[in-house]
Amino acid sequence: WAGVVSLPDWAGAGGSPACAGATGKTATGDGNAQMGTDFGQALLLDGSGDYILTADSADFNFGSGEFTEEGYFRESVRGPIRQIIGQHTTSAASNSSFILLSDNGKLTFQVFIGGSYYTASNPAQHALDTIHHYACLRDSGNVFRLCLNGAQVASVTQSGSLNDSNQILAIGAVMRGGAPDPGGYYFNGRIFSRRRTKGVCRYPGGTTFTPPPYPFPTA
């Protein structure tokens, strides 16, 4: 728990996606983003102008250290480049840190080091209308790993420090300089829970694991 730097407390958010979160970082919604309970408490995104934002924080600067970004999602409609979560701007790779996309139903994890980016992509589509666990992580061997439902589906090895981006952390929309990219890359589906841990690779070595239950513990 000491390494958890982002954990939205959506379970207590009611109908609004705005919440302080268990780590004290405020998340605010835009468009028609809202909380629903039809599949348990979840953030609902309809793929048309919906997203939520968290301001940049020094806690999000991972440098060359280990980290784990994970959560649960359920995609309803596929499309090219649909952002699940990222601290990224299409206007400058050098001011981007990472991004997790669904690209026609294939998870794609990109990290940004300097002006370059490195990609780990699942070659297979995930099922629609199904709850999936994702994990994006860096281990002690500088391997960036992408996991789906407890199994590694892609990886890329690269040394160096992730960019210390000053961009907002966005769920549901690809951003460009603090606003949604005009290409309209909005996620259509639900985000059930997510957690970011700094300094810890929770699932090292590329081995299979049992995804933790959600919502994640808040202490």
Side-chain angles (χ1 to χ4, degrees):
W1 170 253
V4 175
V5 295
S6 182
L7 180 60
D9 189 15
W10 289 333
S16 168
C19 64
T23 59
K25 296 176 178 65
T26 300
T28 59
D30 211 334
N32 192 37
Q34 58 187 291
M35 299 304 299
T37 58
D38 52 346
F39 290 90
Q41 196 78 23
L43 173 67
L44 309 183
L45 304 169
D46 67 7
S48 180
D50 295 356
Y51 56 98
I52 67 170
L53 308 173
T54 301
D56 179 39
S57 167
D59 288 340
F60 299 160
N61 179 18
F62 292 154
S64 59
E66 299 177 33
F67 68 87
T68 306
E69 163 69 39
E70 63 180 319
Y72 285 87
F73 72 97
R74 182 182 189 270
E75 189 167 21
S76 299
V77 179
R78 293 190 180 112
I81 311 179
R82 299 292 187 248
Q83 176 162 311
I84 296 175
I85 186 169
Q87 191 172 15
H88 164 269
T89 173
T90 56
S91 61
S94 60
N95 196 18
S96 300
S97 176
F98 88 102
I99 190 168
L100 176 66
L101 306 168
S102 172
D103 188 354
N104 281 310
K106 299 178 181 180
L107 283 188
T108 298
F109 173 38
Q110 290 184 333
V111 295
F112 297 80
I113 298 174
S116 300
Y117 63 89
Y118 305 91
T119 304
S121 295
N122 186 6
Q125 290 180 322
H126 52 262
L128 291 178
D129 296 323
T130 301
I131 299 174
H132 301 282
H133 176 267
Y134 74 82
C136 304
L137 49 93
R138 185 186 204 172
D139 67 17
S140 60
N142 288 319
V143 182
F144 294 93
R145 303 183 187 276
L146 173 62
C147 301
L148 180 66
N149 300 325
Q152 179 176 300
V153 293
S155 68
V156 61
T157 301
Q158 182 63 43
S159 61
S161 295
L162 292 186
N163 295 336
D164 182 10
S165 173
N166 65 9
Q167 298 297 299
I168 52 181
L169 181 68
I171 295 176
V174 174
M175 306 301 287
R176 183 177 181 86
D181 187 280
Y185 308 116
Y186 297 104
F187 183 78
N188 189 319
R190 295 165 171 78
I191 308 294
F192 291 86
S193 188
R194 57 162 296 271
R195 172 175 66 183
R196 176 175 286 197
T197 308
K198 183 176 182 178
V200 178
C201 174
R202 291 181 178 268
Y203 315 113
T207 57
T208 58
F209 60 91
T210 300
Y214 69 91
F216 298 114
T218 57

